[in-house]
Amino acid sequence: MTQQMPPLKKYAINGVDINALTKTINAIKCEPALSAFQFRARNTWLGGGLNHSTIQGFFGAGQEQARPASFTFKADEPPVLLGDDRGANPVEFVLHALAACLTTSIAYHAAARGIEIGSISSELEGDLDLRGFLGLADDVRKGYHHVRVKMHVASNAPADQLANLAKFSPVSDIVSNSLPVEIVVETH
Amino acid sequence: MTQQMPPLKKYAINGVDINALTKTINAIKCEPALSAFQFRARNTWLGGGLNHSTIQGFFGAGQEQARPASFTFKADEPPVLLGDDRGANPVEFVLHALAACLTTSIAYHAAARGIEIGSISSELEGDLDLRGFLGLADDVRKGYHHVRVKMHVASNAPADQLANLAKFSPVSDIVSNSLPVEIVVETH
């Protein structure tokens, strides 16, 4: 898979437009209501462990934000979990979300502080005991019980400063800390 | 995007092979060590808010599980968040992971109980206050502060029974409850 760097932006550090970032921060400081965002997804079951999600519009910066096209993602389970491996499985998508968010958080917050980053790569592992999902042991949690992230960053900044920037990650917060999830099921 | 149902399996309910599910449960009951799974992801920054993850092998059912090919996913931010919208953003991937996992949990656990499901669809919303990520307010969390999921299930089973089956979801557990995430940053 060939990946291209986005075109260079004027006044950019780490590919982040510093003028735009400063404008965003100042706008939210003046009008905190602009900071309310709502992201959305729709999902449809396709049988067994296979389903797919569609992600398009969201609300943010005081208005509905349309996108010209939607993003779609399949999820499935591997054969050992009774699926056909037509997509990564849901807990693997959590690791992608976490890796992506930690990376972006370091790149953006470093940019805001004038710290140049040459490269970022990471490896993630999530440990899960299937007895939780299967309902075979009440004292075993259903999701990951531990997640480890190893990040490699090319930068002159000290590692502990970069680790502190990673702590701004929304997905890291979502995974690390409890969050109210309201689930309503309707039948027809 | 055209989606096809997987081929029907013998002894399947909801597309889940009941013989295989029973064998898995019995194998883990006899040897709990088989329940240890480890999922993995690798991520590479591509500049600004753009990065991509690769997901392939994992450990489970007592051995390394190879896959013939990897899954790759880009993540980016929309223009209002200073990206180029080349992929869904990290917190949107969390909603996909959650939707996929709730759906699969209902399909599998219903199958295990002989409950037939005709269809499942869902809509998810996650509310986020950007002041958290930007570090503008210490009392505002960085990730979602609320997530709402509305699921529509075609089934003769009562809605509250299906809602209880959704509670087996590993991603719902990961998002709802706190989880130790160990992050190590190395510089070079």
Side-chain angles (χ1 to χ4, degrees):
Chain A
M1 188 173 176
T2 306
Q3 296 286 352
Q4 292 181 318
M5 293 285 284
L8 286 177
K9 290 170 182 159
K10 276 187 184 173
Y11 316 114
I13 301 178
N14 305 336
V16 180
D17 182 332
I18 297 301
N19 280 357
L21 181 57
T22 307
K23 274 186 191 168
T24 299
I25 291 171
N26 287 338
I28 289 177
K29 277 183 181 168
C30 292
E31 186 158 353
L34 292 177
S35 68
F37 278 68
Q38 181 183 89
F39 295 99
R40 302 168 193 142
R42 291 175 174 271
N43 185 277
T44 305
W45 182 50
L46 299 168
L50 184 64
N51 59 76
H52 80 118
S53 292
T54 304
I55 290 169
Q56 190 159 8
F58 64 94
F59 181 89
Q63 60 185 310
E64 273 299 311
Q65 301 280 349
R67 279 174 168 133
S70 62
F71 301 110
T72 61
F73 307 103
K74 277 184 288 191
D76 197 2
E77 296 293 343
V80 71
L81 294 171
L82 313 183
D84 295 300
D85 227 0
R86 297 187 184 201
N89 82 0
V91 293
E92 290 176 319
F93 273 107
V94 170
L95 297 184
H96 164 54
L98 177 60
C101 198
L102 290 168
T103 297
T104 299
S105 297
I106 288 178
Y108 275 43
H109 277 274
R113 288 156 183 77
I115 300 168
E116 293 196 358
I117 304 288
S119 66
I120 310 174
S121 63
S122 56
E123 295 119 37
L124 292 85
E125 297 172 342
D127 298 329
L128 185 147
D129 184 333
L130 197 63
R131 289 177 298 166
F133 171 71
L134 292 174
L136 296 179
D138 289 342
D139 57 340
V140 171
R141 68 180 293 173
K142 291 155 181 41
Y144 290 131
H145 51 86
H146 285 92
V147 170
R148 288 173 300 281
V149 185
K150 199 164 187 176
M151 305 191 75
H152 314 277
V153 185
S155 174
N156 290 327
D160 59 349
Q161 184 179 13
L162 299 171
N164 280 332
L165 301 185
K167 290 180 185 163
F168 286 98
S169 161
V171 177
S172 181
D173 172 39
I174 289 168
V175 172
S176 303
N177 302 309
S178 63
L179 166 61
V181 178
E182 181 195 336
I183 301 171
V184 176
V185 177
E186 294 179 349
T187 53
H188 59 268
Chain B
M1 186 174 175
T2 306
Q3 295 287 351
Q4 293 182 317
M5 293 284 285
L8 287 177
K9 289 170 182 159
K10 278 186 183 174
Y11 316 113
I13 301 177
N14 306 335
V16 179
D17 182 332
I18 297 300
N19 281 357
L21 181 57
T22 307
K23 274 186 191 169
T24 300
I25 291 171
N26 288 338
I28 289 176
K29 277 183 180 167
C30 291
E31 185 157 354
L34 292 177
S35 68
F37 277 68
Q38 181 183 88
F39 295 99
R40 303 169 192 139
R42 289 174 175 273
N43 185 277
T44 305
W45 181 50
L46 300 168
L50 183 65
N51 59 77
H52 80 118
S53 292
T54 303
I55 290 170
Q56 189 159 7
F58 64 94
F59 180 90
Q63 59 185 308
E64 273 298 311
Q65 302 280 348
R67 277 175 168 134
S70 62
F71 301 110
T72 60
F73 307 103
K74 278 184 287 190
D76 197 2
E77 297 292 343
V80 70
L81 293 171
L82 313 183
D84 295 300
D85 226 359
R86 298 187 183 201
N89 83 359
V91 293
E92 290 177 318
F93 273 106
V94 169
L95 297 183
H96 164 54
L98 178 60
C101 199
L102 290 167
T103 297
T104 300
S105 297
I106 289 178
Y108 276 43
H109 277 275
R113 288 156 182 78
I115 300 168
E116 293 196 356
I117 305 288
S119 66
I120 310 174
S121 63
S122 56
E123 296 119 38
L124 291 85
E125 297 173 342
D127 299 330
L128 186 146
D129 184 332
L130 197 63
R131 289 177 298 166
F133 172 71
L134 292 174
L136 296 179
D138 289 343
D139 58 340
V140 172
R141 67 181 294 173
K142 290 153 181 45
Y144 290 132
H145 51 85
H146 286 92
V147 170
R148 287 173 300 281
V149 184
K150 199 165 188 177
M151 305 192 76
H152 314 276
V153 185
S155 173
N156 289 326
D160 58 350
Q161 184 179 14
L162 298 171
N164 280 332
L165 301 184
K167 290 180 184 164
F168 286 98
S169 161
V171 177
S172 181
D173 171 39
I174 290 168
V175 171
S176 303
N177 302 308
S178 64
L179 166 62
V181 178
E182 180 195 335
I183 301 171
V184 175
V185 177
E186 294 178 348
T187 53
H188 58 269

